[in-house]
Amino acid sequence: MGDLSSRSDAELEAEREALRLQYVDCQDIDEASRLYDELHDYDVEMTNRANEAYARENPDPPPTRHREHGWYLPNDE
């Protein structure tokens, strides 16, 4: 597997899809467990990249708006 951060987005997607296909066809439970964990590592890396890209595109997000009567309370009074 190696260091996922050094790979491009296209490489990550292609390698993840190849792993996913191996996982789907796998008959050995130990091998399937290993593949599942490796898929999770790819998902974490891809999610981190997406979050970082969003943060770069939206450097100053608007402040969180709270409702008049509290966050979880109905606003029908």
Side-chain angles (χ1 to χ4, degrees), residues 4-77:
L4 297 178
S5 62
S6 64
R7 296 187 173 115
S8 71
D9 291 344
E11 288 175 327
L12 272 181
E13 289 178 23
E15 291 172 6
R16 187 197 182 285
E17 181 60 17
L19 275 175
R20 187 190 69 80
L21 293 174
Q22 288 177 11
Y23 174 73
V24 169
D25 291 335
C26 188
Q27 299 296 321
D28 178 29
I29 191 70
D30 293 328
E31 179 69 10
S33 178
R34 185 191 66 76
L35 290 170
Y36 180 84
D37 291 341
E38 198 168 338
L39 280 170
H40 178 72
D41 293 340
Y42 277 83
D43 291 341
V44 167
E45 178 64 27
M46 293 169 83
T47 300
N48 287 342
R49 287 183 185 195
N51 288 339
E52 289 169 3
Y54 180 83
R56 282 191 306 272
E57 293 169 6
N58 302 290
D60 296 319
T64 303
R65 294 178 53 194
H66 295 280
R67 298 176 72 155
E68 178 182 350
H69 298 291
W71 190 260
Y72 295 104
L73 300 175
N75 207 16
D76 58 359
E77 292 182 15

